[in-house]
Structures are given as structure tokens and as C-alpha cells.
Amino acid sequence: MKRLRMKHRVFLILVLIILLIGSNLSLSLLENHCSAGPIYKMMDGFYGIVGFIDAFDECERYVTSYRWWDEGRYDPDQDQLIRGKLVLMRSYLDQMVLKQTVQQPGQYYDIRALDHMFPHYQRYIEDFLAMMEAGTKTEAVSVYYQRETLVVLIHDYSSKMLNDTVQESQKDYIHMQKITRRLWLLQVLTGIASIMLSAYFAAMLYAIVQPINRLIEASEAMRKEDFSIPDVPTDVKNEELHQLMVSFNHMKHSTKRFVEMLMEHNHTLQLLRETEKKALESRRLADQAKLLSLQEQLDPHFLFNALNTIRRIAQTEGSHRTEMLILSLAKIFRHSLYDRGALSALTDEIEVTEQYFHIQQARFGDRICLDWEIAQDVDPDELLVPAFALEILVENSVKHGLGPKTQGGHIHVGIFQKDGMLFLEVKDDGLGIPADILEKVQKGERPASADGGIGLSNIYHRLQLLDPQNQLTIWSEEGEGTCVTIKMPIQHREEEKLC
């Protein structure tokens, strides 16, 4: 026969213990019911008869005392007391009549006799009270003596009924005592069985808990990364626990090998991080070199010297307009020559952009116009922006947006700050950017059809190299215009010096 599994045995033993305890409790309740039932029944009948006898005796005492009342004077209070006792006697007698059974012949005939005698007794008492109320004491005393025989009979029958009730209840009680003894014996047997089964269950639990405690100690040591502990003993009788111990020991050895492998892996990762750190440093230096390379495109030493020479010749010849245009261009090149940093003061960038636009107006005249909208909380002298960013955006608007347009157009430059970010917005109502070119420009790519000048691609890559938070967004629609926005964290000149 196949042995039951441990969980099935535990469940079966628990069910048996619960059934034995339930049986014990049921027997205890049945014993109480069997022992207390006859007593309650006897006391119920006893109290009814005693109550009737007490009411009868009280009624007789009041009648007797009333019979000897001085001069036969009527007393309503005494009359009311006697009538109240009659009502109480009738109430007790009705209860006894309802509970009478033929299985108790002695009580049955006693109650039937009292039930027949009581109306006659009640009539005597009511006649007595009526005569006392009418003032005929002599007739009342005559009625009083006529009821004497009936009083003796009621007293005898009620006393006999009380004795019969006690005797019959005592017989029932003796019979139920025998049943109670048997129930008590069954209680003792079920109690002993419950104790023995509980002891067996406790022993079985101990045999389960002790190996589990060993597992807990070993697991705690493993949690502290102590794999030098010996294997958990597998010499247990229970098949499930034996399998659990074997599996735990196998897991401990596997975990130890895994931890050792992880330590080797972490050492390898540490070496890789150091290598990656060196690679990142090399990449940073390469990006810095790339940034410098982008800015080297704006280094016009030779042009600056040449422009100064041309400006002096124009001044000598009296060409004042040519002199002013050359001076504006020279200021642009001088700004590029002497400001070697990646960032420049916003006020300098605004001036360079104005000088560039002054040169373009000499060419286009009133066909193009430029206006500025600088927020009141923006201080151009204190804020830093990427060098030539504004000038390049305005140059793109003039060159690609307004220049090819016959009627020219308008350029709006907005500068404002919000939530710790600075916004530089250049918007024109020019020809717009074709969709295929716009898609590439928005990704920072340089279209194949673009010329060799510095454009949006230059600004896009410079912004990414300066700070990953910098953003360049471009909106354009053919025939409607273009809007380019630079969004960057606010930087002040003091921050630049600290860096």
C-alpha cells in the first residue's frame, strides 16, 4: 500500500482531531441537557404548584381576617386583595391544566380535581364578598363556614399533587443520571483519543520543524555570503523532507559557483568601465577638437586685414558709404577673430547681427526689414549664447527666405526666457523650406543642394556639443515662411568665469 504524502497525513490528523473535539463538545452539551432537563421540568411544575398553594393560603388569610372585621364594615382594599388572589390562583391552575399529560396519571387526576373544585370555591368567596359589601355580615359568616369542606379538599389535593410532582421528577432524574454516566464515559474516551492523537501530531510536527530549523540556519548563513557551512544532514525519515534537504544542498553549491562567477564578472566589468572611461575621455577630447574645428570656419584673419586696407583706400577716395559697409564687415570679422570661446555675450551677438543686416540692406534696400523683441527680464550684457548663432539664423532668412522673393519681406527676432531656459527665435515670411530639405535639416543633416557656407547644420551640431539640453526646432512651410527657435539653459557671465 502506497504511503500517504506528508500533507495528506497532516490534513487527515487535523480532521480527526477536530472531529474528536467536536464529538466531545457535543457529548458535553448532551450531558448537560440530560442532567438539567429533568431538574428544569421538576422546578417548572414545582413552582406552578407552590405558586397556586401560596396564592390559596394568602386568599384564605385575607378572607379569615375579613370575616373577623369589626361590625362587618366593608373594606374595598381588602375586597380587591382577595379578588386579586383568586385571579392569581386561576392563572396558576390554567398553566397546570395546559401542561398536564396522561403519561403522569397522579398529577393528571389531581389537576382535574382542582380544576373542577376551584369554580365552586370562587363562587363561595364572591358570595362572601358580595354580602360583606351589602352589610349582611351574618349571611357572609354563614357562607364562610360553608366553604370549609371545599377548602380542606383543595388543600389536600394541591399538597398531594406537589408530592406526586416531586416523586415523578425524581424518577426521571434517576433515569437521566444513568444516561449521563454513559455520556460522561464516552466523553472521557473521546478526550483520551484526542490527547493521544494530538501528541502524535505534535511529535510529527517536531520531526518536521527540526530539519526546517536547520534549513533556516543554513539559509541565514547563505544570506551573509557564508558558503563554508557544512551541508544540511539528509538523514530524515520523511521522503519529502529528504528530497528538500538534497535539493537545498545542491542549490547551495550551485549558488556558490554562481557567486564566484559573478565576482569574476564584476572584476571584468570594472576593467571594462575603466576602459570605457578612457574611451569617453578620448571622445570628449575629440568632440572638443571638433567644436574648435567648427569654429575655425569663422576665423577670418586674412579677410580682416584686407578689409582694413580697403576701408582706408575708400576713406582716401571719399567713398563714405563704401567705408561704412566695409567698417560693418570688419566689425563682424573682428568679433570672430578675438572671441575664441564657444559662448559669447548676447549684446555682442545682437551687435554683430545688426552689422550684418546693415550690409545686406545696402544690397536689398527697403525690400527687407528687421525688428527686435527682447523681453524686459532679459539682460543682454549678462547672458551668454553660442557665438554667431543669431547672425547665422538671420543670414539664412535673408539668403534663402527673403532674397529670392521679389517683394522682399520681414524678419522678426524674439528673445525671452521661461522656466530657466532662454529662447532665441528668428522668424521670417519668406519662401519657406521645401519638405525634402526640411526633413534633413531638422535632423541636423546638411542637404546635398546646400552651398558651402555655415548654416543650420553648423548650429545644430554646435548646440549638441555645448550642452545635451540645447534644442533647435525648425518650422517651415513653402510660401508661408520659416521659424527657427533655439532653446538652451540660461547661462550668465559669472557662471562662465567660475567654469
Side-chain angles (χ1 to χ4, degrees):
M1 182 177 178
K2 188 177 179 180
R3 294 180 60 187
L4 291 174
R5 296 179 66 86
M6 182 172 62
K7 63 178 182 180
H8 295 153
R9 277 184 286 161
V10 171
F11 177 74
L12 181 60
I13 293 173
L14 284 176
V15 170
L16 290 175
I17 291 175
I18 292 172
L19 288 176
L20 288 173
I21 293 175
S23 301
N24 201 296
L25 290 175
S26 300
L27 290 172
S28 178
L29 293 174
L30 183 60
E31 179 190 358
N32 291 333
H33 175 73
C34 291
S35 60
I39 295 176
Y40 292 148
K41 182 179 178 182
M42 181 186 71
M43 294 303 296
D44 187 31
F46 181 78
Y47 285 142
I49 297 171
V50 170
F52 176 81
I53 293 174
D54 288 343
F56 175 71
D57 291 342
E58 289 289 325
C59 182
E60 282 300 305
R61 185 169 61 82
Y62 290 144
V63 170
T64 301
S65 64
Y66 198 18
R67 180 243 177 275
W68 297 107
W69 212 263
D70 293 340
E71 299 178 357
R73 181 171 51 85
Y74 172 70
D75 186 357
D77 295 335
Q78 193 77 358
D79 184 283
Q80 189 66 30
L81 287 174
I82 295 172
R83 293 183 185 277
K85 294 301 177 180
L86 288 174
V87 173
L88 187 58
M89 289 171 63
R90 180 74 262 179
S91 175
Y92 280 119
L93 189 57
D94 289 340
Q95 293 179 13
M96 289 187 287
V97 170
L98 289 174
K99 295 178 181 178
Q100 67 181 350
T101 60
V102 295
Q103 286 79 13
Q104 298 174 336
Q107 293 184 15
Y108 177 78
Y109 291 115
D110 292 340
I111 293 173
R112 297 293 294 176
L114 286 174
D115 189 40
H116 284 92
M117 288 187 287
F118 180 78
H120 301 287
Y121 174 77
Q122 185 177 13
R123 188 167 54 254
Y124 276 123
I125 297 300
E126 289 178 350
D127 291 344
F128 171 79
L129 293 176
M131 292 175 183
M132 289 295 290
E133 184 178 0
T136 57
K137 185 176 181 181
T138 302
E139 290 81 353
V141 171
S142 176
V143 172
Y144 174 78
Y145 284 111
Q146 290 177 11
R147 89 196 197 310
E148 287 291 338
T149 302
L150 191 59
V151 168
V152 173
L153 290 173
I154 293 175
H155 186 271
D156 290 343
Y157 273 97
S158 59
S159 299
K160 181 177 179 298
M161 187 173 62
L162 181 61
N163 291 330
D164 292 342
T165 301
V166 172
Q167 290 177 1
E168 290 180 6
S169 299
Q170 189 173 9
K171 292 178 182 179
D172 293 339
Y173 181 73
I174 293 172
H175 175 69
M176 295 310 300
Q177 265 193 330
K178 295 179 181 178
I179 299 176
T180 303
R181 289 193 190 98
R182 295 172 184 172
L183 292 175
W184 181 81
L185 181 60
L186 289 175
Q187 276 186 271
V188 172
L189 293 177
T190 55
I192 293 173
S194 300
I195 293 172
M196 293 177 62
L197 200 57
S198 299
Y200 173 74
F201 185 67
M204 187 175 66
L205 285 181
Y206 178 77
I208 296 173
V209 171
Q210 188 178 19
I212 291 178
N213 286 334
R214 296 174 184 171
L215 284 176
I216 293 174
E217 293 175 359
S219 301
E220 188 67 20
M222 287 179 60
R223 187 181 67 84
K224 297 177 181 178
E225 299 181 1
D226 181 13
F227 295 96
S228 61
I229 56 173
D231 291 348
V232 178
T234 58
D235 54 344
V236 291
K237 296 180 180 180
N238 188 272
E239 182 180 351
E240 291 89 347
L241 286 177
H242 174 76
Q243 186 63 37
L244 179 62
M245 302 297 183
V246 172
S247 300
F248 180 84
N249 291 332
H250 178 72
M251 180 192 68
K252 186 193 76 171
H253 294 297
S254 299
T255 304
K256 181 180 180 181
R257 289 193 299 269
F258 182 71
V259 170
E260 291 174 352
M261 185 172 62
L262 280 180
M263 292 177 65
E264 294 178 1
H265 181 67
N266 289 336
H267 180 68
T268 304
L269 284 179
Q270 186 175 1
L271 294 176
L272 287 175
R273 289 193 190 98
E274 293 177 358
T275 305
E276 185 178 358
K277 184 177 179 181
K278 294 177 180 178
L280 288 174
E281 181 65 20
S282 300
R283 188 183 303 171
R284 187 186 67 81
L285 294 174
D287 289 341
Q288 186 175 1
K290 184 177 180 181
L291 177 61
L292 293 175
S293 174
L294 288 171
Q295 286 197 242
E296 285 298 328
Q297 298 176 24
L298 305 174
D299 188 5
H301 282 92
F302 67 98
L303 290 177
F304 178 70
N305 294 329
L307 286 172
N308 273 331
T309 302
I310 296 171
R311 184 177 63 83
R312 291 191 186 94
I313 294 173
Q315 185 179 14
T316 303
E317 295 177 349
S319 299
H320 299 292
R321 185 180 180 187
T322 302
E323 179 188 0
M324 295 303 297
L325 292 175
I326 294 174
L327 179 61
S328 296
L329 185 58
K331 288 181 179 180
I332 296 174
F333 288 132
R334 182 176 61 187
H335 176 71
S336 174
L337 179 62
Y338 293 106
D339 191 2
R340 305 303 296 165
L343 298 175
S344 175
L346 177 58
T347 184
D348 294 336
E349 294 304 311
I350 293 174
E351 181 183 359
V352 169
T353 304
E354 288 280 6
Q355 296 297 335
Y356 166 78
F357 194 77
H358 179 66
I359 295 173
Q360 294 300 321
Q361 275 190 319
R363 174 186 176 188
F364 294 101
D366 295 335
R367 285 177 55 204
I368 61 174
C369 60
L370 171 69
D371 68 79
W372 297 81
E373 182 181 358
I374 302 176
Q376 294 182 355
D377 57 348
V378 174
D379 187 357
D381 292 330
E382 296 297 326
L383 297 180
L384 297 174
V385 296
F388 281 94
L390 276 176
E391 188 274 334
I392 293 175
L393 295 181
V394 172
E395 180 181 349
N396 272 277
S397 293
V398 173
K399 185 175 181 181
H400 302 289
L402 305 182
K405 191 175 180 181
T406 305
Q407 63 273 29
H410 173 264
I411 300 175
H412 174 80
V413 180
I415 303 175
F416 60 94
Q417 55 186 5
K418 181 181 179 182
D419 298 331
M421 303 295 286
L422 180 65
F423 292 83
L424 307 177
E425 183 181 83
V426 178
K427 183 177 181 181
D428 65 67
D429 54 0
L431 297 178
I433 304 174
D436 55 338
I437 298 178
L438 177 63
E439 183 179 357
K440 294 185 177 181
V441 172
Q442 287 175 335
K443 297 178 182 179
E445 299 178 4
R446 195 168 188 176
S449 60
D451 57 26
I454 301 173
L456 294 177
S457 176
N458 181 289
I459 298 177
Y460 179 88
H461 291 290
R462 286 173 59 198
L463 288 173
Q464 294 300 311
L465 291 173
L466 288 172
D467 192 334
Q469 298 185 65
N470 292 340
Q471 296 181 18
L472 178 69
T473 58
I474 305 171
W475 174 90
S476 183
E477 192 170 324
E478 290 189 74
E480 297 294 332
T482 302
C483 180
V484 182
T485 303
I486 294 176
K487 177 182 177 182
M488 58 182 294
I490 295 176
Q491 297 190 50
H492 298 275
R493 281 189 168 183
E494 292 78 3
E495 296 176 358
E496 182 188 37
K497 292 175 182 178
L498 289 175
C499 293

